[in-house]
Amino acid sequence: MGDYLIPMVLKSFRGRESWMRGVDRSSGLPSAHGPVLHAVRPVAEVPRWALLERELFAALDKAWRLFSDRYTESDGRLVFRDRLGVGLDGRDGVDDFYEPFFNWPTLYLLGGSADLLPAARRHWRGVTAQLTEMGMLVDGYERGYDWFHQGEGMLLFYGLCLADPGDPELRSLATRFADLYLPDGPNFDPAHRIVRAPHNGAAGPRWGFADEDAYFPWSLALRPYGLPLDGIEGVTHFDDLASDPERARAYGRAMWERMGRGDTLVNLAATGLAANASLLTGDSRYADWVAAYTGAWQERLTGRDVLPDNVALDGTVGGHLEGRWYGGHYGWSWPHGLSSVASGALVGATNAAFLTGERGYLDLARNPLDAVLRQAEQRRPEERGTLGERWEPHLRAMTAERTLMVPQRHNDSGWFDYTVMPTQLPMALWHFSREESDRERLELLRAGAGWDWSAVHTQRIKDEAGHEEPWYEFLQGRNPGFPEQMLLSALESSAERVAAIENDPLDPAIGPDALGIHHWQHLNPVVTEALLQLTTGSPQILYNGGLTHLHLRYHDAVERRPGLPSDTAALVTDIRPGNTVVELVNSGASARSVLVQAGAFAEHLIRTAAVDEAAPVPVDGPYCRVRLPAATRVRLTLTMSLRGARAACASPWETV
């Protein structure tokens, strides 16, 4: 399977080796870390954005400790005296135990306190032990569930790997988890290039949706979304099932036969496991599999207007659904519709493009977005469909009568369920590709919006996205007040959760019951979206299993750890590869030394770097160093080649 892929896969690992040699004798640091740039401009008055940034770091440092003290036990597990499977389908819940900590390694990576990394690791280990005791894991991994949820639960692990890539245990686990999906593993059929079932994991394919053959999971709470499966005789409405238990059981059996086996598009999120292992180890087997599996889905799009969401066990699109290209689990007909389809396609496409260097994979991610945009309509706020909680403040603030909405779902009746497109999807695509056609899609959405894209609405949903529009406007030079507004909003969001934790009536010795396991997610006080946007020039990580893709990141060159040093703030104002601009401010009384890295995995190549108005100096590597004496600031202008260097999940201190 892999021989024809090896040349393009290895391209991303060989890279340029010139920056890997030599030592700068004057500093004791390897010359691979680039030239030393000096800040000489004194800080007459610390910019407000810099003060707010450091205030946010300080507030979050207190907030995560409060959460940890209130909701976890000594070994890091969550306080929970109930058992999973009670009142649920027996498979759900693993992700909900990891999700409360999903962005803690990210905060450490950005410059959070040194003890945050061991704390996040302790919680990951504690929760893993807790779930193992409840029978939800096999050898430390999810026994078998859908990848919409598995992707959410894996973010904590991916974050730990990026924050501490030299840890041998994490590397070993990363390869073992990824091996579950390679051709020799239990989940993948190499002949048809499919993941065998929508529910999959350490135990291999887990057929159906629960351990009962006739299980019907469409509870009364999900009635507003409508039926998940079309074409069943005698069933046209939810009431046909709610009033007839035997018919409901028959419907459940039909779901098992038609949707509980074969591949589904959201399984593309499993490529995150292999991409993570590939970046940690450089083993081409994992990149080969990502390219092969994503390529199979790309072939299924050939000749079609819309990316299909299901493949039968024999490899045919719609083979279990009477030929329908829609109707798969977490596909176009499912309540999440566009969000789950486009997210899965985007995760798979970016992983394949990242590991192989072949940008054509990105067309897989473009198709779902463009497919629904072809059906877009101007609609009134009250015509919004079943999803779209995050748009409530935007729609309330509208002065226009209508705004652009797209259908989220498709069934036998056609496209339906209109709401605003989730901007994090086209934003993540443009940020990865940096192609003009992908930026034009954002401009189209902006032109059709009935509200002010520059407005910052203080809100927090669990994926921690939701402020892409005002950040985009800032990058385009149309929203100069964004940094201060966004930081104030982040401080407010975290403070709201701190207050909720302090006033939480939940018994701290018992915790929530099995139906309340989302309680912790709603109270996680760590917010990183603002820091990602402002300090790294990057959007929030895709919540359903995306890897971290950063334009810039930083290391404390003295402490030799990830993140901005104490008293140091960063503001990225331009992310164009040919003109990346970042302002660094040291507001403290001691000198700081910052290693600036291009890309989360040092994959971008910095061609030149200019300090303030000085002439640019050559870099030709992924790093440059900045020395900031006490109370100084500097503006760096970088010219970069995206993904022009060797990508690897490794510490800069280990790569030379």
Side-chain angles (χ1 to χ4, degrees):
M1 178 183 70
D3 289 350
Y4 73 98
L5 292 170
I6 288 175
M8 61 183 178
V9 169
L10 290 183
K11 182 168 71 172
S12 67
F13 290 103
R14 287 174 178 154
R16 292 172 172 80
E17 301 298 331
S18 61
W19 53 270
M20 294 287 288
R21 304 187 184 100
V23 174
D24 179 349
R25 301 298 180 186
S26 64
S27 66
L29 292 175
S31 61
H33 294 151
V36 180
L37 308 172
H38 297 269
V40 296
R41 190 157 38 109
V43 175
E45 182 178 357
V46 179
R48 188 166 185 244
W49 63 262
L51 293 173
L52 289 172
E53 205 171 277
R54 295 313 312 181
E55 182 181 345
L56 181 57
F57 273 116
L60 297 178
D61 187 44
K62 294 179 181 178
W64 71 259
R65 298 174 196 276
L66 176 68
F67 182 97
S68 185
D69 290 344
R70 174 66 172 76
Y71 296 113
T72 71
E73 303 193 40
S74 59
D75 68 348
R77 70 180 61 203
L78 289 157
V79 177
F80 181 68
R81 300 291 178 254
D82 205 346
R83 289 192 60 82
L84 292 180
V86 179
L88 299 172
D89 65 11
R91 300 185 181 184
D92 190 15
V94 167
D95 56 299
D96 296 304
F97 279 68
Y98 290 116
E99 285 177 84
F101 313 101
F102 85 98
N103 56 359
W104 290 27
T106 303
L107 177 58
Y108 169 79
L109 195 79
L110 294 170
S113 59
D115 58 341
L116 178 53
L117 179 62
R121 182 66 179 276
R122 179 170 58 88
H123 291 307
W124 177 78
R125 281 177 169 155
V127 165
T128 298
Q130 184 173 23
L131 292 168
T132 299
E133 292 167 10
M134 287 190 281
M136 303 298 287
L137 307 182
V138 175
D139 295 330
Y141 192 79
E142 170 88 56
R143 181 179 294 274
Y145 204 43
D146 65 77
W147 262 97
F148 186 84
H149 290 96
Q150 283 200 58
E152 295 175 338
M154 288 306 301
L155 290 184
L156 174 58
F157 181 74
Y158 295 157
L160 288 170
C161 290
L162 184 58
D164 193 14
D167 186 291
E169 181 188 10
L170 292 175
R171 287 182 179 233
S172 175
L173 290 171
T175 57
R176 180 154 59 79
F177 294 167
D179 286 345
L180 294 169
Y181 291 86
L182 264 59
D184 292 335
N187 291 292
F188 189 66
D189 174 1
H192 298 107
R193 290 184 295 169
I194 61 168
V195 174
R196 293 185 173 96
H199 284 195
N200 51 79
R206 203 173 184 187
W207 311 107
F209 304 108
D211 297 332
E212 299 83 27
D213 290 346
Y215 179 73
F216 176 61
W218 229 239
S219 69
L220 291 174
L222 297 175
R223 177 191 291 266
Y225 300 112
L227 294 168
L229 184 64
D230 285 331
I232 305 300
E233 185 177 354
V235 181
T236 59
H237 191 272
F238 193 99
D239 289 340
D240 296 330
L241 302 171
S243 61
D244 188 338
E246 184 54 39
R247 183 177 290 175
R249 284 191 288 273
Y251 192 89
R253 285 192 292 271
M255 286 182 64
W256 195 104
E257 288 291 331
R258 301 188 184 197
M259 303 172 68
R261 56 189 178 136
D263 207 353
T264 185
L265 184 71
V266 75
N267 282 336
L268 274 170
T271 61
L273 285 178
N276 183 56
S278 178
L279 290 162
L280 280 167
T281 67
D283 189 335
S284 63
R285 292 184 306 125
Y286 300 111
D288 288 352
W289 181 79
V290 170
Y293 182 49
T294 306
W297 278 102
Q298 197 163 35
E299 290 174 17
R300 291 160 195 151
L301 173 58
T302 302
R304 299 176 183 271
D305 292 331
V306 184
L307 182 64
D309 66 19
N310 69 95
V311 182
L313 286 170
D314 64 1
T316 60
V317 171
H320 297 317
L321 284 162
E322 298 177 329
R324 292 175 177 84
W325 53 266
Y326 54 87
H329 192 44
Y330 277 95
W332 283 113
S333 303
W334 207 256
H336 302 78
L338 175 67
S339 292
S340 51
V341 168
S343 182
L346 188 52
V347 170
T350 52
N351 284 335
F354 189 70
L355 295 178
T356 68
E358 298 297 323
R359 302 175 71 85
Y361 286 107
L362 297 180
D363 289 339
L364 189 73
R366 294 179 177 118
N367 178 269
L369 304 176
D370 292 336
V372 298
L373 276 170
R374 289 194 292 269
Q375 312 295 325
E377 297 177 0
Q378 287 285 328
R379 292 197 165 203
R380 295 184 178 88
E382 60 269 22
E383 296 176 309
R384 194 198 81 196
T386 55
L387 295 176
E389 170 193 359
R390 85 97 137 170
W391 300 110
E392 290 176 0
H394 305 75
L395 299 180
R396 283 197 304 267
M398 274 179 53
T399 56
E401 182 181 347
R402 298 171 184 268
T403 192
L404 189 72
M405 296 188 188
V406 298
Q408 306 294 300
R409 297 193 276 165
H410 188 286
N411 62 13
D412 283 358
S413 300
W415 293 103
F416 70 107
D417 201 2
Y418 278 71
T419 193
V420 180
M421 178 180 284
T423 315
Q424 63 263 40
L425 299 173
M427 189 69 180
L429 176 57
W430 170 67
H431 183 267
F432 184 89
S433 77
R434 226 63 61 85
E435 293 186 15
E436 183 61 19
S437 61
D438 293 323
R439 193 186 71 84
E440 289 172 355
R441 189 179 296 105
L442 289 165
E443 288 290 337
L444 186 152
L445 294 172
R446 175 181 179 268
W451 71 86
D452 179 7
W453 261 37
S454 65
V456 175
H457 296 282
T458 297
Q459 61 173 359
R460 174 82 184 282
I461 49 182
K462 76 170 186 174
D463 66 3
E464 234 224 293
H467 298 91
E468 292 81 13
E469 302 86 7
W471 176 51
Y472 175 76
E473 292 295 273
F474 170 67
L475 292 175
Q476 302 305 311
R478 299 188 289 242
N479 195 11
F482 173 73
E484 291 84 357
Q485 294 168 9
M486 185 62 183
L487 288 163
L488 287 169
S489 177
L491 284 162
E492 183 179 350
S493 289
S494 183
E496 288 175 353
R497 276 147 190 81
V498 166
I501 292 170
E502 292 174 337
N503 296 291
D504 188 359
L506 188 73
D507 188 337
I510 296 178
D513 62 21
L515 295 176
I517 54 177
H518 297 95
H519 184 76
W520 307 299
Q521 298 168 30
H522 297 315
L523 293 175
N524 173 19
V526 172
V527 293
T528 54
E529 184 188 20
L531 293 172
L532 283 167
Q533 291 173 340
L534 298 176
T535 70
T536 76
S538 314
Q540 175 60 24
I541 301 158
L542 286 172
Y543 196 69
N544 295 105
L547 296 186
T548 301
H549 289 291
L550 304 178
H551 190 64
L552 295 177
R553 59 176 286 200
Y554 311 94
H555 303 267
D556 186 326
V558 175
E559 298 295 329
R560 293 196 167 204
R561 57 146 291 184
L564 289 164
S566 301
D567 302 320
T568 307
L571 177 62
V572 177
T573 59
D574 195 334
I575 62 171
R576 287 177 295 173
N579 194 63
T580 292
V581 179
V582 56
E583 182 95 4
L584 294 171
V585 176
N586 177 11
S587 59
S590 300
R592 302 296 178 194
S593 184
V594 182
L595 182 66
V596 179
Q597 175 179 317
F601 305 95
E603 72 272 19
H604 303 324
L605 190 67
I606 303 174
R607 295 294 186 182
T608 65
V611 172
D612 297 326
E613 305 304 322
V617 298
V619 177
D620 292 324
Y623 306 108
C624 62
R625 288 166 287 164
V626 182
R627 288 181 178 165
L628 290 151
T632 57
R633 63 189 300 179
V634 65
R635 186 183 68 177
L636 298 181
T637 303
L638 311 174
T639 61
M640 300 165 59
S641 296
L642 293 185
R643 290 174 284 281
R646 188 190 65 140
C649 188
S651 165
W653 324 115
E654 298 172 354
T655 57
V656 292

